[in-house]
Amino acid sequence: MKLDRLGDFQRTHRNGDLRLDHAGQTVRLLGWCRRVRNLGSLVFLDLRDRWGLVQLVANEETADPELLAKLKAVRSEFVLAAEGVVAERESKNPNMATGDIEIRLTGLRILNTAATLPFPLEDEGVGEDLRLTYRFLDLRREQLQRNMILRSETSNIIRNYFRKHDFVEFETPILGKSTPEGARDYLVPSRVHAGEFFALPQSPQLYKQMLQVSGFERYVQICRCFRDEDLRADRQPEFTQVDVEMSFVRQEDIQNLIEGLMVELCPLVGKHPVAPFPRLTYKDAMEWYGSDKPDLRCKIKIQDVTGLFVGSEFNLFRAAADSQGQRRVRGLFLPGEAAGAFSRKQLDELQETAKQLGAGGLPYAKWGKDGLASSFKKFISPELEAELKATLGIRGEGLAIFAVGTDDQTSRVLGELRLRLARTFGLTDPSAFEFLWVVDFPLLQWDEEDQRFVACHHPFTSPHPDDLDLLQSNPGACRAVAYDLVLNGYELGGGSIRIHDAETQSLMFHTIGISESEARAKFGYLLDALAFGAPPHGGLALGLDRLVMLLAGEDNIREVIAFPKTAQARCLMTDAPSPVDERQLRDLHLLQDSKQTYRVGAVFFESAEGGNAELRGQALQQISQMTPRQSQGLVTLDAQGQILDAQTLSGPTFDF
Ligand code: ASP
């Protein structure tokens, strides 16, 4: 088909803006043909641009034959320039913003044709892989257009907000240094420095702290971060953070600032949260909601009922009551007729879910039309029933479920079932926006695999001032000045007040098993910076993808990212990652005949495979002198058996 030129054609209006007020005006429009319909003597065409959809029409009997022929040649997704006169429609379409009018065509240019699309844009049920393969077409869909524009507006408000509050926007390096701790790094081999690697930033954490030492006081960056982790619906290998750091602040200052931002952002989607947001300690969040990111759209709380079973005949619960707090019985009550009428079969399914979550079973008590039914009814005396009702807030019909075990076990089971059942019984208001802060997180947690403490947030987080002594005497009990912002059960972001003196920072490294020499090698610049007049400082980072996802009412962050990766960390459109030439590998020193990389088996010191056994043996010996830990790793040797590089796949890395 011979194409027309855009030439000097100038658009006069955006398609979605046209209204009855424009009737009688001649307009010039641009866009894509959504579809053409031939209805007797009238030919209709819906023309779409970024701002909306408008109906074009030509009358077979009165239209110019050349125009008509051209119009009939148009197929879906052809690119068009159209001229016509705005006219009131005979039959209006109330579902369309421009539904009161149509454009009587006087001219048409076909700027480009389009092959038949691999899927119809209106089809909601297209598989995600196909959508991601043709993401450039998928992005034509109204929902994704809306999401991308919402994302852009969100970023604009964020930038303006921080500018208004005197923040300086920075760009920190993408090519950075690999550090132990945190998630797995994405590495970039250096061509210039054989055998050395940059790491993509997991976050600009230390750069933003350096900028506080430099005296900028207020830093902000909307930045990309990279973590080589297993993916979930709300995670991507690369994601965007709104990264903030401030000097001379307390936790409350940061919270107030971020609340102000949320209050400005939410009206974008018609929500009006009221600050200050509730603040809940980590301990209370776990106790009442079984989660460190509770969804407060559901008001139901988990309660401790252990005390009601002291001396009970019900062995399972009594044993917990006798365990002096080691194990507890906790429960929650879901009110309503539907919950009270939960069938045997549904309860069986619930048992299965509870088992998958690690519970032995799921004791329940249900108050329905026929009174009480329970998996442990014979142990429920009228007094116990009254006590259960009082403790769990039971009024009327409904279902109570119980879990017994350690706090972790019962939190996991009840936290998850609280959410699922609240959804099942309509006890969560899906349109609500419930923000809260979770504060007083533990500073450290014990890592069974590595047999050491690791930082819950990151190793630059300040211990709670009241718990400083615990850092040495009982590290596991030490709280952090760390806080998470939670919205509707999602962690929107988190941050902390930082350690700002070198001594505490060194103590922290020591506590998490980073030796002095390793700390120097990996974090020397931080320790130096802290020694040169570092101000007290703190900050936080918000996940922009997650924030936009929640604003957009989506439940998958891929819906708010223009070109996301799949859950298998691939880009289906560009087919990345992909193999590269041997030449490139050689340039990057990743392929060398004289070098051999050994994968040092399941455990560094016990098994190994491949390559030259003698060299491997030497390598293992050298490594074992350097670390007493058992880890998996890669060791690269030259032909003489010298170690060029050794990296553990978890735990520390080594310099040579
Ligand atoms: N850098 C931290 C993170 O990415 C956030 C912060 O502490 O500011 O989680």
Side-chain angles (χ1 to χ4, degrees):
M1 178 182 290
K2 187 169 171 308
L3 298 180
D4 298 315
R5 297 231 186 106
L6 182 60
D8 58 0
F9 186 96
Q10 291 283 354
R11 151 195 269 155
T12 58
H13 293 79
R14 300 157 167 193
N15 297 345
D17 291 348
L18 292 168
R19 297 288 182 277
L20 213 44
D21 294 350
H22 296 96
Q25 287 184 28
T26 297
V27 294
R28 291 202 188 86
L29 308 173
L30 290 164
W32 287 259
C33 168
R34 187 178 175 214
R35 59 187 173 139
V36 211
R37 280 158 302 148
N38 216 327
L39 296 184
S41 63
L42 295 177
V43 185
F44 294 101
L45 187 157
D46 289 340
L47 189 70
R48 182 191 73 236
D49 69 7
R50 211 193 93 186
W51 294 274
L53 202 62
V54 70
Q55 175 170 297
L56 314 182
V57 62
N59 189 322
E60 295 249 20
E61 275 137 40
T62 55
D64 171 55
E66 206 181 311
L67 171 73
L68 213 51
K70 204 174 253 188
L71 182 60
K72 286 185 174 175
V74 172
R75 298 285 169 270
S76 289
E77 301 305 312
F78 275 30
V79 188
L80 306 174
E83 187 187 81
V85 180
V86 182
E88 183 166 0
R89 272 202 214 184
E90 256 170 45
S91 56
K92 301 198 165 67
N93 181 350
N95 300 322
M96 215 172 152
T98 59
D100 286 351
I101 52 110
E102 62 192 5
I103 314 298
R104 308 239 158 104
L105 270 181
T106 53
L108 185 70
R109 298 185 199 190
I110 298 182
L111 304 180
N112 210 348
T113 59
T116 305
L117 264 46
F119 53 87
L121 297 186
E122 305 79 54
D123 188 347
E124 295 289 324
V126 182
E128 200 188 12
D129 280 3
L130 187 61
R131 288 177 45 203
L132 290 177
T133 306
Y134 294 94
R135 186 60 159 182
F136 51 92
L137 295 178
D138 194 29
L139 284 165
R140 283 187 190 168
R141 290 167 52 230
E142 202 184 317
Q143 176 197 356
L144 285 191
Q145 294 253 324
R146 217 187 313 120
N147 289 355
M148 294 307 131
I149 292 165
L150 176 65
R151 184 175 178 123
S152 161
E153 289 185 6
T154 305
S155 302
N156 283 336
I157 292 180
I158 293 172
R159 284 218 162 79
N160 288 336
Y161 181 82
F162 283 105
R163 195 151 174 243
K164 197 166 71 188
H165 286 86
D166 238 351
F167 279 71
V168 185
E169 187 170 349
F170 279 88
E171 288 167 84
T172 52
I174 293 292
L175 297 178
K177 186 176 168 82
S178 177
T179 50
E181 301 303 308
R184 203 175 290 124
D185 282 328
Y186 275 101
L187 296 177
V188 181
S190 163
R191 181 182 57 79
V192 183
H193 303 284
E196 297 187 285
F197 294 81
F198 290 108
L200 304 185
Q202 296 190 21
S203 87
Q205 182 60 35
L206 290 178
Y207 292 110
K208 66 174 175 172
Q209 290 192 230
M210 293 300 109
L211 290 167
Q212 303 311 303
V213 181
S214 308
F216 286 97
E217 299 205 20
R218 290 171 176 226
Y219 147 102
V220 68
Q221 176 173 206
I222 299 186
C223 57
R224 204 60 76 75
C225 302
F226 306 85
R227 295 181 193 172
D228 190 0
E229 291 177 309
D230 294 333
L231 306 184
R232 296 193 308 235
D234 62 345
R235 275 207 198 141
Q236 284 275 299
E238 55 180 306
F239 56 95
T240 308
Q241 279 190 346
V242 180
D243 199 37
V244 177
E245 195 76 8
M246 296 170 85
S247 294
F248 309 112
V249 283
R250 287 150 291 258
Q251 167 171 307
E252 303 72 52
D253 302 315
I254 306 225
Q255 290 171 327
N256 294 342
L257 177 88
I258 299 301
E259 285 173 355
L261 174 63
M262 294 302 135
V263 166
E264 280 197 18
L265 276 175
C266 288
L268 266 181
V269 294
K271 304 286 180 204
H272 302 277
V274 179
F277 302 156
R279 290 159 200 207
L280 205 62
T281 63
Y282 168 83
K283 201 160 158 266
D284 287 346
M286 296 307 290
E287 183 63 24
W288 291 336
Y289 305 106
S291 164
D292 61 358
K293 39 179 192 292
D295 187 345
L296 293 192
R297 289 176 303 173
C298 164
K299 306 294 171 211
I300 294 161
K301 283 186 184 175
I302 299 169
Q303 304 288 352
D304 183 348
V305 292
T306 319
L308 307 188
F309 294 93
V310 174
S312 163
E313 309 255 288
F314 185 23
N315 288 338
L316 179 68
F317 284 6
R318 198 207 46 245
D322 291 345
S323 75
Q324 270 145 17
Q326 295 288 318
R327 293 156 55 76
R328 294 194 291 154
V329 186
R330 297 163 76 196
L332 59 85
F333 177 69
L334 300 137
E337 266 178 42
F342 221 40
S343 71
R344 197 64 254 170
K345 183 160 166 279
Q346 288 167 310
L347 282 163
D348 286 346
E349 282 166 12
L350 205 57
Q351 293 270 355
E352 276 317 304
T353 315
K355 282 183 187 157
Q356 280 161 18
L357 292 166
L362 192 73
Y364 69 87
K366 155 180 103 139
W367 287 265
K369 293 263 169 293
D370 312 321
L372 172 66
S374 168
S375 57
F376 54 103
K377 188 167 177 189
K378 68 173 172 202
F379 303 112
I380 304 185
S381 62
E383 295 77 43
L384 178 60
E385 186 177 351
E387 284 173 334
L388 280 174
K389 284 186 169 175
T391 314
L392 292 176
I394 298 169
R395 252 171 253 112
E397 296 177 26
L399 170 70
I401 54 171
F402 301 87
V404 55
T406 62
D407 289 357
D408 280 355
Q409 289 168 331
T410 50
S411 287
R412 187 170 341 114
V413 175
L414 294 177
E416 181 59 33
L417 292 183
R418 170 183 172 275
L419 291 180
R420 291 198 198 188
L421 290 171
R423 241 175 278 137
T424 309
F425 298 132
L427 299 169
T428 301
D429 173 2
S431 68
F433 259 37
E434 293 283 356
F435 284 100
L436 81 146
W437 290 99
V438 178
V439 300
D440 288 354
F441 278 85
L443 184 71
L444 302 160
Q445 72 192 38
W446 182 251
D447 185 319
E448 270 305 323
E449 199 179 314
D450 269 9
Q451 287 292 301
R452 62 168 185 131
F453 280 108
V454 292
C456 289
H457 187 50
H458 51 56
F460 321 110
T461 294
S462 173
H464 198 289
D466 298 344
D467 295 354
L468 268 179
D469 291 345
L470 292 174
L471 194 52
Q472 273 164 306
S473 60
N474 184 5
C478 187
R479 287 168 301 165
V481 192
Y483 33 82
D484 276 0
L485 179 63
V486 176
L487 170 59
N488 294 355
Y490 286 91
E491 181 198 325
L492 264 193
S496 60
I497 298 300
R498 325 298 182 190
I499 297 170
H500 72 279
D501 67 285
E503 203 182 314
T504 312
Q505 188 62 69
S506 295
L507 177 59
M508 179 71 176
F509 285 145
H510 173 78
T511 312
I512 59 174
I514 297 183
S515 70
E516 221 168 289
S517 59
E518 198 186 350
R520 209 51 253 162
K522 298 292 177 191
F523 301 111
Y525 63 102
L526 170 68
L527 294 170
D528 287 345
L530 297 183
F532 284 112
H537 61 282
L540 118 169
L542 298 170
L544 183 67
D545 310 288
R546 237 177 250 179
L547 173 63
V548 179
M549 174 184 96
L550 291 167
L551 290 174
E554 297 284 1
D555 52 15
N556 184 327
I557 53 170
R558 295 191 289 272
E559 301 295 332
V560 298
I561 298 175
F563 299 105
K565 308 267 185 304
T566 62
Q568 280 75 42
R570 293 200 78 84
C571 170
L572 294 179
M573 188 180 80
T574 61
D575 204 17
S578 55
V580 295
D581 291 351
E582 259 192 31
R583 163 95 192 274
Q584 280 172 292
L585 291 177
R586 281 183 206 285
D587 280 354
L588 293 171
H589 319 282
L590 294 175
L591 253 195
Q592 271 187 6
D593 302 330
S594 58
K595 252 179 153 183
Q596 176 80 46
T597 296
Y598 293 88
R599 187 187 170 87
V600 186
V603 175
F604 239 135
F605 314 119
E606 288 176 13
S607 70
E609 51 191 10
N612 175 320
E614 198 186 325
L615 293 186
R616 193 182 62 231
Q618 285 174 21
L620 286 177
Q621 215 169 28
Q622 286 191 54
I623 292 282
S624 62
Q625 282 162 11
M626 302 176 62
T627 172
R629 294 191 197 116
Q630 297 193 334
S631 1
Q632 301 185 35
L634 298 172
V635 183
T636 307
L637 308 180
D638 68 13
Q640 280 70 47
Q642 277 298 105
I643 298 186
L644 296 175
D645 191 59
Q647 289 189 27
T648 51
L649 299 181
S650 59
T653 51
F654 301 100
D655 272 346
F656 291 91

